[in-house]
Amino acid sequence: MPYSIKDISEVISEDAKIADASTVIEFLLIDSRRLVFPATTLFFALSSARRRGEAFVEELYKSGVKSFVVSKNFDPANFPEANFLFVDSPLQALQKLAAFHRKQFQIPVIGITGSNGKTIVKEWLYQLLQDDYNIVRSPKSYNSQIGVPLSVWQLSESNTLAIFEAGISEVGEMDVLEEVIHPTIGILTNVGAAHSAGFDSKEQKVHEKLKLFKSAYTIVSNNQDPIINAAISTRKKEDLFIWGNGDADLQIIDVEKSEKQSLITGSYNGSPVNILIPFTDNASVENSITCWALLLYLKVADDTIAKRMLQLQSVEMRLQLKKGINNCSIINDSYSNDLSSLRMALDFLHQQAGNQSTTVILSDLGETTSSEEQYHKVLQALIQHRVHKFIGIGPRLAALQSLFGSAIPQSFFYNSVDTFTHQFLNIRFRDEVILLKGARAFEFEQINLLFEQKVHQTVLEVNLSAMAHNLKEYQRYVQPATKVMAMVKAFSYGSGSAEVASVLQYHKVDYLAVAYADEGVELRKAGIKLPIMVMNPENITFQSLITYNLEPEMYSFAILKAFNKYLQNEGFQQFHVHIKIDTGMHRLGFEEEDINELVDFLSENPRLVVKSVFSHLAASESATHDAFTTHQVGLFLQTCDKIKIATGYSFIRHISNSAAIFRYPQFQFEMVRLGIGLYGVDSSAEKVLSLQPVASLRSTIAQIRKVKKGETVGYSRRGFVNRDSLIATIRIGYADGFSRKLGNGVGRVFINGNLAPVVGSVCMDMTMIDITDIAGVEEGDEVEIFGTNLTVEEVAKLCDTIPYEIMTSVSQRVKREYYQE
């Protein structure tokens, strides 16, 4: 339902400058990187602690956007052809517009909240009800103060049902989301410990979440939690649909689990009912019952419910990036296909591709009522993301091949997945990033298997969303004018340089730092355009520094004079360098007695343009050494002043590392260096930051055997068994980075919710663990070496080392898989 800019102005703004009152708005934008349709887009200039949203107006104006929502103090003089709506708060204006849009519809709207399971329930309801309704739903987990209004804006005249999820982190937020969603049906999944910091108690948290259902006709919930029961008891019984035990509307009598399925039996309206679901974990059982209750409330027939419940598919909550055949990278997002999720997947593809070619393999859209207009929007999104090759699978795309083929010359079309797989070997895939995006019915899993690289089952999973989260956590403590240099040396602490650098570039860090020139060269080849500092330049790499525009660190007179001579011989008038000062670390850098000679040399050789002067704090994470840290900074500033006087110009100063960013905010200067903290390790151990682990090292069980009491396990018979035991061999050894120090009972791995000790010596490729006391373990089961359940800090402590060493020791033969939630 498009609105004119004049209509929108009347809803959200008392002050406006309208250049073209006939402008029609279809799309709302908050991120300049996700622009697709400029002419019909309205940009909301939301600001963060580090960037004002108005800073992107000029860029978007040049890209064709002509409508903006900005703060009242913005000067529009440089944009004569644009429409400007002036508001107190662009975020509140976004929410107000979405709430207005919601009021134009009288269809059923399901609002889902809770601590866990919101997205799963939403996606399963979509699977269960898509044959009966034309459904609009929140993309992935768009449940925030920004995500909810963007979700609700998707409502159109063709929709007959809406499903939106809402998440909150503090008191008062749900009042806003209720206005935007205004659900007619409410679903409360559960209320647990997640996101509890903003609430005084669980009672308060429940009270706030239930505000979403202020105007709902019905609330679906369970009666397993006494706090929830007490909170909803104020509602009329006829306004509640409760599942659980006792006098619940849907009484659950039994859950019988087999190897891969669960049979759930119950009673509804005095009659026995049951469903069979293809899951056995407790969370899936609970989420399935919630969906079952909603279907019963909607009066879906029992036989239809039974059939659809058995067909439920797992919801992949993340976009995965894996290495594939012929040096390809594969992004697998093949559980659903609709416009909103396609745009998110294309953003990730564009973010990761760099200079590589991109290919999209797409099925027909999942919605059975998808119009040709929606396929035009798909094509526009592909063009906007500069997709090089397109493969369409399904009869509707095949019928539109002339449309797609005229815009993307490398386009191929197949009526079915089977047809494509039979032709697979005749299609050339090499050195490209490939997005698989298929509706559930097309079973794109078959295509994914064709591309998968068959390698070692030990995997290092890298959560790119967690990295972005950690970056934002530190940015909260970084002054707005201070730049951020991200350390991606040592293969990004073992996590993979190009993939990590692509995320950091996307989230607009200012600088990258690598250890050696060849690391910088690889980043440039991968399409990384950010400035890159090389911390250990060597004479033989000078040509690479010049060719790939890499900025070397100068830490001694030998390297300084050699590089200056090289520039002179090659005829370069200027080149950026970074000057390293040793203020007490005593590793690399010019010392205090070198400074007079250094400043003389720099003033006499202006071809060396000082981009930054920096030093390294030796113990910024420790309060014990605060006096020494302050001494280092004092010496550093004295040196910077001398260099500034000698050169006659200013430069970037940086001395703060991850710990110093928030421990010493007064020492941030023009730039800070973010290292191990970016990867989720709090080097200060002060727990001020809410960091998330980025890397998880996982392996699998190759074999399980019974070993009798008195026997031994492994080399040199070091693993003595003092009871009849069950021993599992896992596919990881010291050649993969699993330290030999973890052998003989020192190390632990996490499996099936428990820690299993290492038995005997760690082998080159295998390690044995004792699973005697852990039930239900089978060959092929996954084992966590470090990650969410067993942190890298804990593993490092067992090895009497630091997390840096554990992370950087993970072998290159271990496959890296990247994902974005």
Side-chain angles (χ1 to χ4, degrees):
M1 182 185 292
Y3 301 94
S4 72
I5 191 67
K6 187 173 182 300
D7 293 335
I8 293 176
S9 175
E10 291 174 356
V11 174
I12 67 173
S13 174
E14 296 178 357
D15 183 16
K17 173 188 162 294
I18 306 294
D20 183 1
S22 66
T23 302
V24 173
I25 299 300
E26 293 186 68
F27 303 96
L28 307 184
L29 182 71
I30 61 167
D31 187 336
S32 62
R33 297 164 296 189
R34 297 183 176 181
L35 176 65
V36 181
F37 303 106
T40 55
T41 289
L42 175 62
F43 176 68
F44 285 78
L46 306 186
S47 295
S48 66
R50 290 184 55 77
R51 284 185 172 85
R52 293 176 62 251
E54 282 90 351
F56 300 98
V57 169
E58 181 177 1
E59 170 194 335
L60 289 166
Y61 183 77
K62 290 178 180 178
S63 299
V65 178
K66 294 297 185 285
S67 300
F68 301 89
V69 177
V70 295
S71 57
K72 288 185 174 179
N73 58 2
F74 182 81
D75 183 1
N78 294 329
F79 313 99
E81 297 178 10
N83 305 309
F84 285 94
L85 309 185
F86 302 99
V87 298
D88 291 322
S89 164
L91 173 57
Q92 291 177 9
L94 172 66
Q95 294 164 341
K96 188 175 182 180
L97 178 59
F100 171 81
H101 182 61
R102 163 67 184 93
K103 290 176 183 176
Q104 312 311 305
F105 299 88
Q106 303 303 315
I107 64 173
V109 175
I110 301 172
I112 307 174
T113 192
S115 297
N116 300 295
K118 296 186 294 293
T119 302
I120 299 294
V121 169
K122 178 199 67 188
E123 294 298 326
W124 279 356
L125 287 177
Y126 174 75
Q127 292 181 26
L128 293 163
L129 294 170
Q130 62 179 328
D131 291 340
D132 305 325
Y133 299 89
N134 184 315
I135 303 173
V136 59
R137 71 196 193 281
S138 309
K140 293 287 183 181
S141 50
Y142 266 40
N143 57 31
S144 67
Q145 297 290 301
I146 296 173
V148 167
L150 293 177
S151 299
V152 170
W153 183 256
Q154 298 177 109
L155 272 167
S156 70
E157 293 94 334
S158 63
N159 298 130
T160 56
L161 176 67
I163 311 174
F164 301 121
E165 57 176 297
I168 57 173
S169 56
E170 59 185 48
V171 172
E173 288 185 332
M174 194 62 87
D175 295 294
V176 175
L177 300 187
E178 192 282 330
E179 288 286 328
V180 177
I181 298 175
H182 200 65
T184 59
I185 301 170
I187 295 178
L188 184 63
T189 55
N190 64 57
V191 179
H195 311 296
S196 294
F199 305 97
D200 295 334
S201 64
K202 182 175 177 179
E203 286 81 359
Q204 185 186 53
K205 188 176 181 182
V206 169
H207 175 76
E208 290 295 314
K209 287 186 176 292
L210 286 174
K211 287 182 177 180
L212 179 62
F213 311 137
K214 181 173 66 176
S215 302
Y217 305 139
T218 299
I219 302 173
V220 176
S221 181
N222 68 63
N223 62 8
Q224 311 300 298
D225 189 325
I227 294 177
I228 293 176
N229 286 343
I232 64 176
S233 63
T234 57
R235 297 291 290 254
K236 297 177 183 177
K237 192 175 190 309
E238 56 266 30
D239 293 344
L240 303 173
F241 192 104
I242 304 298
W243 66 263
N245 48 38
D247 61 349
D249 297 276
L250 171 60
Q251 296 178 13
I252 303 303
I253 297 171
D254 187 38
V255 178
E256 182 182 341
K257 298 180 180 180
S258 59
E259 184 177 350
K260 294 183 179 179
Q261 296 178 327
S262 296
L263 176 64
I264 308 171
T265 58
S267 175
Y268 177 60
N269 284 340
S271 300
V273 288
N274 66 76
I275 57 170
L276 189 64
I277 62 170
F279 308 101
T280 58
D281 62 286
N282 292 336
S284 293
V285 169
E286 181 175 321
N287 292 331
S288 298
I289 298 173
T290 298
C291 293
W292 186 15
L294 189 278
L295 266 60
L296 289 172
Y297 169 75
L298 294 177
K299 302 189 184 314
V300 179
D302 287 344
D303 56 346
T304 301
I305 293 175
K307 179 182 177 182
R308 294 178 183 177
M309 281 288 182
L310 188 55
Q311 294 173 344
L312 281 177
Q313 293 192 354
S314 297
V315 176
E316 184 55 70
M317 298 291 290
R318 60 198 193 183
L319 290 166
Q320 293 180 306
L321 176 68
K322 300 181 180 181
K323 290 297 182 185
I325 60 172
N326 303 329
N327 198 37
C328 291
S329 297
I330 312 301
I331 299 172
N332 183 17
D333 188 26
S334 57
Y335 90 94
S336 70
N337 189 21
D338 53 73
L339 273 170
S340 59
S341 65
L342 173 62
R343 288 177 184 135
M344 294 178 70
L346 287 171
D347 285 340
F348 187 52
L349 172 70
H350 185 64
Q351 169 188 311
Q352 285 295 326
N355 289 335
Q356 288 185 286
S357 294
T358 56
T359 295
V360 172
I361 302 179
L362 184 75
S363 78
D364 287 349
L365 295 178
E367 295 91 340
T368 55
T369 57
S370 296
S371 64
E372 186 168 329
E373 180 185 0
Q374 287 177 294
Y375 284 94
H376 277 273
K377 291 178 179 178
V378 168
L379 178 58
Q380 289 301 312
L382 296 172
I383 293 170
Q384 191 266 339
H385 287 88
R386 298 191 289 278
V387 170
H388 299 95
K389 184 162 61 180
F390 175 71
I391 296 173
I393 296 179
R396 300 199 69 186
L397 279 169
L400 294 168
Q401 59 181 290
S402 59
L403 171 68
F404 282 79
S406 61
I408 307 175
Q410 287 195 72
S411 292
F412 308 88
F413 298 87
Y414 303 89
N415 278 307
S416 67
V417 169
D418 285 344
T419 308
F420 171 75
T421 56
H422 285 127
Q423 293 294 319
F424 181 75
L425 294 178
N426 298 324
I427 309 170
R428 184 180 183 276
F429 296 102
R430 183 175 296 278
D431 302 320
E432 53 198 287
V433 184
I434 302 167
L435 169 63
L436 304 182
K437 194 81 178 77
R440 178 167 63 104
F442 282 82
E443 298 181 346
F444 263 33
E445 293 82 2
Q446 301 174 51
I447 298 176
N448 184 50
L449 290 174
L450 295 174
F451 283 106
E452 275 194 353
Q453 196 175 44
K454 305 301 186 291
V455 293
H456 188 11
Q457 289 187 38
T458 297
V459 174
L460 184 72
E461 290 187 339
V462 181
N463 185 340
L464 300 177
S465 296
M467 178 165 288
H469 166 84
N470 294 340
L471 174 63
K472 290 175 183 176
E473 276 292 293
Y474 277 97
Q475 285 177 333
R476 291 196 297 119
Y477 292 87
V478 176
Q479 297 162 20
T482 301
K483 298 179 185 295
V484 174
M485 172 183 278
M487 312 302 289
V488 293
K489 61 181 182 177
F491 198 55
S492 290
Y493 295 76
S495 298
S497 298
E499 294 82 2
V500 166
S502 295
V503 173
L504 298 173
Q505 179 170 264
Y506 185 79
H507 288 283
K508 299 186 182 298
V509 301
D510 303 284
Y511 249 94
L512 299 177
V514 297
Y516 296 99
D518 56 353
E519 294 177 303
V521 170
E522 289 303 310
L523 293 182
R524 287 284 184 252
K525 288 180 177 179
I528 302 301
K529 298 179 175 61
L530 289 172
I532 299 174
M533 180 177 77
V534 177
M535 303 182 75
N536 294 290
E538 301 167 283
N539 294 39
I540 59 174
T541 65
F542 286 168
Q543 183 57 54
S544 293
L545 296 174
I546 303 298
T547 302
Y548 292 96
N549 192 26
L550 306 173
E551 302 171 7
E553 169 189 319
M554 300 285 105
Y555 55 83
S556 70
F557 285 113
I559 195 73
L560 181 71
K561 292 177 179 178
F563 189 60
N564 184 63
K565 184 176 181 180
Y566 179 85
L567 294 174
Q568 184 179 11
N569 292 340
E570 296 294 317
F572 284 91
Q573 297 302 308
Q574 289 186 329
F575 202 84
H576 285 145
V577 295
H578 299 260
I579 305 298
K580 175 70 174 288
I581 307 300
D582 180 11
T583 58
M585 182 75 168
H586 298 324
R587 185 172 60 182
L588 290 176
F590 293 96
E591 297 188 45
E592 188 174 6
E593 57 265 29
D594 299 326
I595 301 307
N596 290 336
E597 183 181 350
L598 172 64
V599 297
D600 289 343
F601 188 86
L602 291 173
S603 62
E604 294 166 3
N605 294 278
R607 68 174 50 84
L608 296 173
V609 179
V610 178
K611 189 65 177 289
S612 84
V613 177
F614 71 105
S615 188
H616 201 120
L617 296 175
S620 62
E621 69 280 359
S622 173
T624 304
H625 301 292
D626 280 353
F628 185 74
T629 297
T630 303
H631 165 74
Q632 281 192 273
V633 174
L635 186 58
F636 171 67
L637 290 176
Q638 291 175 23
T639 302
C640 287
D641 289 343
K642 290 180 180 179
I643 295 175
K644 182 178 180 180
I645 292 170
T647 59
Y649 55 81
S650 300
F651 40 77
I652 297 170
R653 300 170 299 169
H654 51 111
I655 194 170
S656 289
N657 52 12
S658 295
I661 286 174
F662 65 91
R663 292 202 70 239
Y664 306 99
Q666 69 274 28
F667 299 152
Q668 290 183 7
F669 306 127
E670 289 78 36
M671 187 157 69
V672 295
R673 299 190 302 275
L674 183 52
I676 194 70
L678 193 62
Y679 303 88
V681 178
D682 185 356
S683 56
S684 71
E686 292 192 5
K687 307 301 180 186
V688 174
L689 300 164
S690 176
L691 301 180
Q692 297 176 1
V694 168
S696 297
L697 181 59
R698 305 178 186 280
S699 190
T700 57
I701 293 176
Q703 189 177 36
I704 296 174
R705 68 175 65 248
K706 295 178 180 178
V707 178
K708 292 187 178 297
K709 178 180 178 179
E711 294 188 3
T712 59
V713 175
Y715 286 119
S716 303
R717 304 192 68 198
R718 290 195 176 121
F720 181 78
V721 177
N722 58 14
R723 60 173 177 170
D724 289 348
S725 301
L726 206 57
I727 303 298
T729 300
I730 57 176
R731 295 179 171 96
I732 189 170
Y734 58 78
D736 303 296
F738 192 74
S739 174
R740 292 189 79 245
K741 294 177 181 177
L742 295 169
N744 305 304
V746 174
R748 303 283 189 274
V749 299
F750 188 85
I751 181 169
N752 277 17
N754 295 274
L755 293 175
V758 174
V759 180
S761 299
V762 175
C763 308
M764 180 181 288
D765 310 300
M766 298 283 179
T767 299
M768 285 69 74
I769 59 174
D770 187 345
I771 59 170
T772 309
D773 299 320
I774 304 176
V777 181
E778 298 179 359
E779 293 180 356
D781 281 359
E782 190 174 76
V783 176
E784 182 182 284
I785 310 304
F786 62 74
T788 305
N789 302 292
L790 180 61
T791 68
V792 69
E793 292 98 323
E794 292 174 294
V795 175
K797 190 174 181 179
L798 293 173
C799 292
D800 194 24
T801 185
I802 56 177
Y804 296 77
E805 181 178 350
I806 300 299
M807 293 178 67
T808 58
S809 295
V810 179
S811 167
Q812 291 301 302
R813 80 175 184 178
V814 172
K815 179 173 65 172
R816 268 71 173 171
E817 293 184 358
Y818 304 87
Y819 65 91
Q820 179 169 293
E821 294 177 335

